[in-house]
Amino acid sequence: MTPPYTPGYGEQGYPRPTAAPATPARRILAAVSLLASAGVAVAPFLPWVRVSQAAFLIFPAKSQSWTAMDDLPETSSAPGRLVLAAGVIGLVLALAALATGRRPLGLAAVAPGVLGLAGCLLFVREIQAYQEKMKADLLAQLAQAVLDIQGGLAAGWFLALAGSVVLLLCGAGHLLRKV
């Protein structure tokens, strides 16, 4: 005895399951994610900290900058490596989302965005801890007063921060129904 015939997908009027075509909005978000990821991947190799010293008597004016991958005193290169990993992961996810147009791949851009933000915040925390330590050092305070040493965050850190925020926004943009 043969079992009764049960039609499968695509037979006798049943629809075939097909992947939803990528909407233009999804492709645009994936392309923006790709650009932001490229910026985040390059950011650790750009200057993150810039320090300058004004001229005083026999001391000439100086300026120096460090990347996130350099070994600064009292800091590690872990934030730079986190941001680099975020950029590479974001590039892979954005390329896959652009090629396939799949919504979950675009939504996954949130993960490298969070990782990049974590790297930026960890870097700021390490720099602040170093500054607090230097405030307690009398010799460092004297040098600061005499030589007028100024320091601050540089372009690489801002690029990493902006790229990470854009990745978060692009990932969140895939949550919209119409996208």
Side-chain angles (χ1 to χ4, degrees), residues 3-22:
Y5 176 73
T6 56
Y9 284 107
E11 297 177 12
Q12 297 181 356
Y14 287 95
R16 285 195 183 274
T18 58

Side-chain angles (χ1 to χ4, degrees), residues 135-153:
K135 284 182 182 176
D137 187 6
L138 182 63
L139 187 59
Q141 286 180 349
L142 181 63
Q144 165 65 28
V146 172
L147 297 175
D148 190 24
I149 299 171
Q150 301 293 322
L153 297 172

Side-chain angles (χ1 to χ4, degrees), residues 21-32:
T23 63
R26 265 192 227 158
R27 296 255 186 224
I28 290 170
L29 284 174
V32 171

Side-chain angles (χ1 to χ4, degrees), residues 33-146:
S33 292
L34 183 67
L35 291 174
S37 297
V40 171
V42 169
F45 302 104
L46 297 174
W48 277 39
V49 175
R50 188 171 312 276
V51 176
S52 62
Q53 163 206 326
F56 179 74
L57 295 177
I58 62 170
F59 298 107
K62 281 194 210 175
S63 181
Q64 190 169 2
S65 60
W66 291 272
T67 69
M69 303 302 270
D70 292 337
D71 289 327
L72 290 167
E74 303 294 325
T75 63
S76 67
S77 61
R81 292 173 195 225
L82 278 175
V83 171
L84 180 62
V88 171
I89 292 168
L91 281 171
V92 170
L93 289 172
L95 282 172
L98 196 57
T100 63
R102 306 257 345 237
R103 184 177 177 192
L105 289 172
L107 183 60
V110 169
V114 169
L115 190 62
L117 281 177
C120 289
L121 295 177
L122 179 62
F123 186 78
V124 168
R125 193 179 129 264
E126 286 183 355
I127 292 296
Q128 285 178 339
Y130 179 69
Q131 286 176 338
E132 291 298 321
K133 183 178 177 183
M134 287 296 112
K135 284 182 182 176
D137 187 6
L138 182 63
L139 187 59
Q141 286 180 349
L142 181 63
Q144 165 65 28
V146 172

